[in-house]
Amino acid sequence: MNSIDRQRVIAYTCACRETSYEFLAAGGMYRFRRRNRSEPEVVAYAGPWHRAKAERLWGLLIVGQAR
Protein backbone atom coordinates (compact mmCIF):
# COMPACT_ATOMS: atom_id res chain seq x y z
CA MET A 1 0.00 0.00 0.00
CA ASN A 2 1.48 3.26 -1.02
CA SER A 3 -0.56 5.67 1.08
CA ILE A 4 -0.50 4.68 4.73
CA ASP A 5 -2.31 7.94 5.57
CA ARG A 6 -5.41 6.85 3.62
CA GLN A 7 -6.01 3.48 5.27
CA ARG A 8 -9.43 2.53 6.61
CA VAL A 9 -9.86 0.28 9.65
CA ILE A 10 -12.27 -2.54 8.76
CA ALA A 11 -12.06 -4.52 12.02
CA TYR A 12 -9.94 -4.59 15.15
CA THR A 13 -9.26 -6.44 18.37
CA CYS A 14 -9.52 -4.87 21.81
CA ALA A 15 -6.86 -2.21 22.43
CA CYS A 16 -7.00 -3.06 26.14
CA ARG A 17 -4.63 -5.97 25.54
CA GLU A 18 -0.84 -5.70 25.36
CA THR A 19 -1.01 -6.65 21.66
CA SER A 20 -3.87 -5.58 19.41
CA TYR A 21 -4.59 -6.03 15.70
CA GLU A 22 -6.31 -3.94 13.04
CA PHE A 23 -7.63 -5.08 9.66
CA LEU A 24 -6.90 -2.24 7.19
CA ALA A 25 -8.02 -1.41 3.65
CA ALA A 26 -6.51 1.02 1.14
CA GLY A 27 -6.52 1.16 -2.63
CA GLY A 28 -8.35 -2.16 -3.04
CA MET A 29 -5.77 -4.06 -0.98
CA TYR A 30 -5.96 -5.23 2.62
CA ARG A 31 -3.42 -5.76 5.40
CA PHE A 32 -3.03 -6.09 9.14
CA ARG A 33 -1.39 -3.81 11.68
CA ARG A 34 -0.13 -5.27 14.96
CA ARG A 35 0.43 -2.89 17.85
CA ASN A 36 2.36 -3.81 20.95
CA ARG A 37 1.85 -1.31 23.77
CA SER A 38 5.38 -1.74 25.06
CA GLU A 39 7.49 1.36 25.69
CA PRO A 40 8.18 2.49 23.03
CA GLU A 41 5.18 1.18 21.10
CA VAL A 42 6.05 -1.37 18.42
CA VAL A 43 3.96 -1.40 15.23
CA ALA A 44 4.27 -4.04 12.48
CA TYR A 45 2.38 -4.63 9.24
CA ALA A 46 1.53 -7.79 7.27
CA GLY A 47 0.21 -7.91 3.71
CA PRO A 48 -1.02 -6.56 1.39
CA TRP A 49 -3.48 -9.15 0.09
CA HIS A 50 -6.59 -9.20 -2.05
CA ARG A 51 -9.84 -9.12 -0.09
CA ALA A 52 -10.72 -12.84 -0.09
CA LYS A 53 -7.31 -13.92 1.22
CA ALA A 54 -7.17 -11.10 3.77
CA GLU A 55 -10.61 -11.99 5.16
CA ARG A 56 -9.63 -15.65 5.42
CA LEU A 57 -6.39 -14.76 7.25
CA TRP A 58 -8.20 -12.33 9.57
CA GLY A 59 -10.60 -15.11 10.55
CA LEU A 60 -7.66 -17.38 11.35
CA LEU A 61 -5.95 -14.62 13.32
CA ILE A 62 -9.04 -13.99 15.44
CA VAL A 63 -9.35 -17.66 16.44
CA GLY A 64 -5.60 -18.02 17.07
CA GLN A 65 -4.78 -20.25 14.09
CA ALA A 66 -2.88 -17.82 11.81
CA ARG A 67 0.71 -18.66 10.96
Side-chain angles (χ1 to χ4, degrees), residues 4-63:
I4 290 177
D5 297 332
R6 303 206 24 108
Q7 295 180 83
R8 182 170 40 109
V9 177
I10 304 295
Y12 54 90
T13 62
C14 183
C16 64
R17 302 247 180 197
E18 180 71 23
T19 302
S20 62
Y21 298 89
E22 296 172 314
F23 184 14
L24 308 169
M29 298 299 287
Y30 298 81
R31 69 185 195 169
F32 306 148
R33 176 169 45 209
R34 180 184 71 213
R35 292 183 168 204
N36 188 311
R37 295 185 334 160
S38 60
E39 196 57 48
E41 182 180 42
V42 177
V43 179
Y45 292 88
W49 301 285
H50 291 285
R51 184 176 183 163
K53 182 171 184 174
E55 287 177 341
R56 186 171 54 252
L57 290 171
W58 180 255
L60 292 171
L61 177 73
I62 294 302
V63 297

